[in-house]
């Protein structure tokens, strides 16, 4: 079965950096695009970034553009999120999520599996 | 402020029917992009509930249904059960945001 396990969260000061990892298993990682989605404490879901299966195209929310970098290593079945210049408002649970759901011979560009998340706290 | 607007909260008694709306615009739902719905039980990751406006993944009870019309979509839950108490999010794509997905602000469902 699909498993996504995030790691790397923790407490960091404003302006600091952190790198999250997501270990994927149970599916052909190199064939699927991947997302990071975050959820601030008590708040809703916010899409953060997406990377295509081959890693050649990346997209970012305006709130993280220029500060966060998404990457993947298909040989290690691992997704990464490099977070720089962290702000108080980046405090959230960060979810790794798999794109593309197929049913009845049709595939849809949507998130179908989520990891359990890793908490990032930006605090002085 | 999300591009997809949901009511912050809805409630209903066991056995009743509730609906959750998701209102967008001509750059997302109204442009023909599919709407998907997720259920998030407290302390857990979201789970796909409805895909492509009105389809249920295997394992999702038929008490859950979705629809879409114009610039809005709706999630209906019939025969409310205590286990349905959760947060519900709609999600679509917006043509003004290259490559991104957009989520609604979420709706907290309380089963009275």
């Amino acid at each position: 079965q699909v498993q996504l396990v995030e790691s790397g969260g923790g407490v960091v000061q404003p302006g600091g950096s952190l790198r999250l990892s997501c270990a994927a298993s149970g599916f052909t990682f190199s064939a699927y695009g991947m997302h990071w989605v975050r959820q601030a404490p008590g708040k809703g879901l916010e899409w953060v970034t997406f990377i295509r299966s081959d890693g050649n195209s990346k997209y970012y929310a305006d709130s993280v553009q220029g500060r966060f970098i998404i990457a993947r290593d298909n040989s290690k079945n691992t997704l990464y999120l490099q977070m720089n210049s962290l702000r108080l408002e980046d405090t959230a649970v960060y979810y790794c999520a798999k794109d593309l759901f197929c049913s009845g011979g049709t595939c849809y560009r949507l998130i179908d599996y989520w990891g359990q998340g890793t908490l990032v706290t930006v605090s002085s | 402020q999300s591009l997809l607007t949901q009511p912050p909260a809805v409630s209903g008694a066991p056995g009743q029917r509730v609906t959750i709306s998701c209102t967008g615009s001509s750059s997302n739902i109204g442009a023909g992009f599919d709407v998907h719905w997720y259920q998030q039980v407290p302390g857990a990751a979201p789970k796909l509930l409805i895909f492509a406006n009105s389809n249920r993944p295997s394992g999702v009870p038929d008490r859950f249904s979705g629809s879409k019309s114009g610039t809005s979509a709706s999630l209906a839950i019939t025969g409310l059960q205590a286990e349905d108490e959760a947060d519900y999010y709609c999600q679509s794509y917006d043509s003004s945001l290259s490559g991104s997905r957009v989520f609604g602000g979420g709706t907290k469902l309380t089963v009275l």
Side-chain angles (χ1 to χ4, degrees), chain A residues 35 37 39 43-47 50 59-62 95 99 101 103 108-117, chain B residues 34 36 38 40 43-48 51-52 55 57-58 87 89 91 97-105:
Chain A
H35 302 263
V37 178
Q39 187 169 34
K43 302 297 183 182
L45 301 171
E46 180 189 13
W47 176 84
F50 171 73
Y59 305 89
Y60 299 91
D62 288 347
Y95 293 102
D99 193 64
F101 172 76
S103 175
Y108 303 88
R109 299 296 305 277
L110 61 85
I111 293 172
D112 64 343
Y113 283 98
W114 304 66
Q116 285 305 300
Chain B
D34 285 335
H36 317 294
Y38 296 89
Q40 186 178 32
K47 166 192 165 186
L48 181 63
F51 69 94
N55 300 280
S58 62
D87 294 320
Y89 296 89
Q91 183 259 304
L97 305 170
S98 176
S100 75
R101 310 292 193 267
V102 287
F103 287 96

Side-chain angles (χ1 to χ4, degrees), chain A residues 1-7 20-36 51 53 71-80 95-99 112-116:
Chain A
Q1 70 281 20
V2 172
Q3 280 201 311
L4 299 168
V5 180
E6 303 94 337
S7 61
L20 307 183
S21 298
C22 171
S25 61
F27 65 104
T28 305
F29 180 73
S30 59
Y32 292 88
M34 297 293 295
H35 302 263
W36 288 99
I51 185 169
S53 58
R72 64 190 298 158
D73 186 336
N74 286 344
S75 69
K76 296 182 178 179
N77 290 346
T78 302
L79 177 72
Y80 302 101
Y95 293 102
C96 161
K98 171 185 165 290
D99 193 64
D112 64 343
Y113 283 98
W114 304 66
Q116 285 305 300

